[in-house]
Amino acid sequence: MSSYDVIIIGAGPGGYVCAIRCAQLGLKTAVVEGRETLGGTCLNIGCIPSKALLHASHQLHEAEHNFAKMGLKGKTPSVDWPQMLAYKDDVIGQNTKGIEFLFKKNKIDWLKGWGSIPAAGKVKVGDDVHEAKAIVIATGSTPSALPGIDIDEKVVVTSEGALSLPKIPKKMVVIGAGVIGLELGSVYARLGAEVQVIEYLDHITPGMDAEVSKTFQRLLAKQGLSFTLGAAVKSVETAKGKAKVAYTLRKDDSAHEVDADVVLVATGRKPYTDGLGLADLGVEMTDRGQVKTDAHWATNVKGIYAIGDAITGPMLAHKAEDEGMAVAEVIAGKHGHVNYGVIPGVIYTHPEVATVGATEEQLKKDGRAYKVGKFSFMGNGRAKANFAGDGFVKILADKETDRILGAHIIGPMAGDLIHEVCVAMEFGASAQDLALTCHAHPTYSEAVREAALACGDGPIHA
Ligand code: NAI
């Protein structure tokens, strides 16, 4: 048995970042992790491996569609799927080993195994019970199942199975037009699969700015994805390695069926707190199964904190990381803070989609007077040179004060471009502040500046 200042349960982006910050603040820290490797869902079966496949499949797309135009002639590459998976696994290995190195460097103990909390101040791993002044639950989330649909991770898969399919399917049905469905759907579409996305709502990407969402759907359709919207999936039957997906169209209740080699179920995730013993401890939960916390990530049981996907808020690695750093500060007696109004969201398709702050729909609902500054990447020289003219930047600013309220970008490197708006928003900047900032030419960032100019006297290159 050992004694620690802090024990964190879970080594995903929330947990490992929390551990490093705790150690930097001089706290004796351990992390419980039952997986063979550190990094949680994000590094092992989520963000990182999916980005490797998105990158590889995008390179193929470039070779097929744009190389010849640039005078790069020759045989178009063919897909060696086992090699692409090996590349993805190598990327995972490099990243997870990187966390192991950071743990050693910061003198953080990895308690290998699945942890539970038998009592406040105690964490059990295997037969060992360790003591901790503070415990942080950072156990993340798992895919939420659809009633009547059995996942076998071979024919009917979650994002985990979809990252390691034995072969590229001829026909893939994706249930759910959210982030996972569209990222992985676009990977397989680029690799040659026929991809049909079935979505319950009448639009893709719930919660996203409607104008961006419509453009996004149009661009994905151009890449070959087909969309069946307003459709509720009822069942998935499997036989002889194939699947039959049954759904009804909400507009007329008509029943339909479609065959597929692989069905990706991407209908959301739920907090994962199984086996921790939270009910026996009396830890309060929300009615959606999340650990209830106060503004300082403390649960109702003294000394037990929770962060990341296990609590309320968007299920995003970077939101968990921020909470991990902030709760470490709180535990060390400092002031941890997360500005939930400025958390970007990114979809890593091609083009990327990135968003921060309010959407137009939210501002209308709130009755807020606002103005819109929009700029198309068609007017951006760099984007034109790189076959990346699809999409736009949209900045929403207060009509009176010009303060930036939100930004929505669909286009090249949107996931990176969004951060200058995030920083501006953190400083309470106006659109004019962005517009008056010199932006290097030729860069994609100029499109952000032009959108800011469009909130005032107008963009230059429109
Ligand atoms: P999601 O919540 O983004 O989308 C699920 C979609 O499934 C919704 O559009 C919903 O209307 C639809 N749906 C639900 N039931 C249905 C049914 N019976 N028939 C048809 N459609 C149905 O969930 P997703 O994509 O599974 O992602 C889970 C979480 O992981 C999200 O919180 C997401 O933000 C996070 N994530 C974030 C990534 C990123 O930041 N790039 C990457 C991957 C995941």
Side-chain angles (χ1 to χ4, degrees), residues 231-284:
V233 171
K234 298 291 177 190
S235 65
V236 179
E237 304 293 338
T238 53
K240 296 190 188 138
K242 300 251 181 205
K244 203 174 265 307
V245 181
Y247 61 92
T248 53
L249 286 181
R250 293 197 295 132
K251 61 175 182 202
D252 55 10
D253 237 8
S254 57
H256 302 261
E257 273 184 358
V258 55
D259 293 324
D261 301 302
V262 169
V263 177
L264 166 60
V265 182
T267 50
R269 297 178 64 85
K270 58 173 188 208
Y272 178 69
T273 55
D274 295 359
L276 291 176
L278 300 187
D280 291 342
L281 272 169
V283 172
E284 278 181 38

Side-chain angles (χ1 to χ4, degrees), residues 409-423:
I409 308 177
I410 176 163
M413 306 292 286
D416 288 274
L417 297 182
I418 198 75
H419 293 103
E420 73 166 294
V421 186
C422 294
V423 174

Side-chain angles (χ1 to χ4, degrees), residues 192-227:
E194 182 194 340
V195 176
Q196 178 180 356
V197 183
I198 304 181
E199 164 61 45
Y200 182 80
L201 300 171
D202 294 324
H203 56 87
I204 67 168
T205 52
M208 183 180 281
D209 189 275
E211 209 178 354
V212 175
S213 173
K214 274 194 204 112
T215 305
F216 190 28
Q217 187 184 333
R218 184 174 54 77
L219 294 176
L220 289 173
K222 232 167 84 180
Q223 290 170 25
L225 281 87
S226 74
F227 292 93

